[in-house]
Amino acid sequence: MLIPLQEKDFDKYIDFAYELALDPARTFYHVYFDGIKTKADFIAKARRTFTRPTEEILLYQEDGAVEGWLYYFYWPEDRYLQLASSSVRRNMAQALEELSGYLAQRYPGCDWMIGFPAENREAAAWAEGAGFRQFDDAQNYSFFFDRYDPVPDDASVERIRLENFEKFQRVHRTIEADMFWNCQRVREKLPEWTAFVAEEDGVAGEILARNLDGGMCEIYALCCEDGNYHENLYRRLLTRFLNEGKRQGAKYLTFFVGTDEEMNRIMPGLGFQLVGRYLGYQKKF
C-alpha cells in the first residue's frame, strides 16, 4: 500500500529513510554514500516536497509496517518523471509495481527514469521484467576540489559561449539523441553550464558540466565527435574544466563514466574517487 507522507509524520520516518539510503542494495539514485551529500542534504531535499506540487514522497506500507520511502519529481513541461533518493527495505518488486501503477494513472504519457546502484539487483530484475529500457551503465566518481592543485591552462581548449556555440554543437549533436540535455536545452540555459571544446588531429571533443547549488557540479558529457576514445584530448578537456571549477570556487564534482576499461584507467590519476556502478532505466507510460 502506498501512502503520501504527511508533514506531521516527517520526523517519524526521516531517520529510517536516511539509513536505508546508505545501503546500495536497497536504494536509488541520487545516492548519499558518495562522500559528498550529507544527512542534512537528505533532510533538506526531502522536506522541500511539502512546498513543491511537482514532488511527492510516498511511504510503502506492508502488513502495517512502513518498508519503503519513494520520492519522485515531475517536470510538467517535459512530461518527465524521475525516482530520486528512494529506498525499500523489503519486497522491493511489489513496492515498485504499486508505484508504477500509481504514476501511470496520475501521469499518463510521461517518460519515467529510474537509476540505482548495481548492487540493487531486485530493482534491476523488476525494471527488466516491467519493460524498461536500459539507457546507461556507468561508473560513478566523486571529485573534491580542495584536494586539487591546478596546472597551467591549455589555451587551445576553448570556453563555449553563445557566440561560438556552433563549435559545441558540432560535437554534442553526435550524442544528443538519447539525452535530455540536447543542444537546444543547453543553449537555452547556457549560463548554468560550463563547456569547453578542443581539437586534436582533426577530431573535436567536448566537456559539458552543470553548476549546481552548494559548490556542486556534475559532468554530463565528455566525448569526441567520432565516437572514439582519445586519451590525450580527454585529459586536456578534463584538466581545463578542473582548473575552471577550482577558479570558480567549486567544492565537489560528480562524473558518470562508461564502463570501458580505457577511460576508467585514467580516472584515479586525475584525482577521481570511485563511488560505484550506476544502472539507468527508462520507460514511457
Side-chain angles (χ1 to χ4, degrees):
M1 177 185 299
L2 298 178
I3 303 171
L5 176 66
Q6 302 296 317
E7 190 168 6
K8 64 181 178 61
D9 295 323
F10 185 84
D11 292 339
K12 181 178 178 181
Y13 295 110
I14 191 64
D15 289 338
F16 159 82
Y18 180 70
E19 289 173 10
L20 274 183
L22 300 180
D23 182 353
R26 293 284 174 265
T27 196
F28 294 78
Y29 272 75
H30 307 98
V31 297
Y32 281 80
F33 50 82
D34 59 0
I36 297 175
K37 296 183 285 297
T38 66
K39 184 176 182 178
D41 295 329
F42 182 87
I43 293 172
K45 186 175 181 180
R47 195 180 292 278
R48 76 183 188 182
T49 60
F50 300 114
T51 60
R52 298 190 177 191
T54 57
E55 299 183 12
E56 186 178 31
I57 295 173
L58 300 168
L59 299 177
Y60 171 63
Q61 191 176 79
E62 191 173 285
D63 298 328
V66 171
E67 298 289 350
W69 170 281
L70 301 170
Y71 172 18
Y72 73 88
F73 60 83
Y74 171 56
W75 292 354
E77 63 275 19
D78 298 298
R79 300 187 64 75
Y80 173 85
L81 288 161
Q82 183 170 333
L83 191 62
S85 310
S86 301
S87 302
V88 180
R89 180 170 59 186
R90 185 166 65 94
N91 208 351
M92 183 170 296
Q94 181 61 32
L96 291 173
E97 192 66 28
E98 292 188 23
L99 178 65
S100 179
Y102 174 87
L103 294 176
Q105 184 176 21
R106 189 168 185 179
Y107 304 104
C110 288
D111 287 316
W112 183 21
M113 193 276 282
I114 56 174
F116 41 82
E119 293 90 338
N120 193 343
R121 296 182 178 88
E122 291 183 63
W126 177 83
E128 290 167 5
F132 280 70
R133 175 184 66 88
Q134 184 174 357
F135 69 87
D136 204 359
D137 184 350
Q139 301 284 21
N140 177 18
Y141 287 90
S142 293
F143 185 90
F144 303 87
F145 282 93
D146 62 352
R147 307 171 193 173
Y148 177 65
D149 294 321
V151 299
D153 281 339
D154 180 346
S156 66
V157 180
E158 188 175 355
R159 178 75 181 266
I160 292 299
R161 306 186 189 281
L162 284 176
E163 55 267 26
N164 64 348
F165 192 81
E166 69 281 355
K167 293 183 178 182
F168 168 81
Q169 185 170 291
R170 167 185 166 185
V171 184
H172 200 66
R173 67 187 179 189
T174 65
I175 64 166
E176 69 175 358
D178 290 331
M179 293 185 68
F180 175 83
W181 289 110
N182 55 30
C183 289
Q184 179 182 340
R185 288 191 172 104
V186 171
R187 185 185 181 95
E188 290 171 352
K189 296 183 179 292
L190 193 56
E192 299 177 8
W193 297 87
T194 300
F196 292 95
V197 296
E199 288 193 24
E200 191 164 295
D201 298 327
V203 177
E206 67 156 287
I207 188 168
L208 173 69
R210 194 176 187 195
N211 311 316
L212 306 174
D213 295 334
M216 178 75 176
C217 50
E218 180 174 348
I219 295 176
Y220 277 67
L222 175 66
C223 66
C224 293
E225 61 181 335
D226 64 356
N228 295 323
Y229 175 76
H230 296 271
E231 181 172 323
N232 192 57
L233 184 51
Y234 282 174
R235 286 181 179 272
R236 289 168 57 204
L237 289 163
L238 275 167
T239 301
R240 181 66 180 87
F241 170 73
L242 294 177
N243 284 352
E244 185 64 23
K246 184 80 170 186
R247 186 177 297 118
Q248 293 182 4
K251 296 180 181 179
Y252 312 110
L253 168 64
T254 294
F255 186 19
F256 291 83
V257 176
T259 56
D260 58 286
E261 182 180 348
E262 292 176 317
M263 188 66 196
N264 284 278
R265 187 181 65 247
I266 72 172
M267 298 301 289
L270 291 168
F272 287 85
Q273 297 184 14
L274 180 63
V275 176
R277 185 178 166 198
Y278 164 87
L279 303 177
Y281 286 80
Q282 191 168 17
K283 182 179 181 179
K284 189 177 186 66
F285 286 132

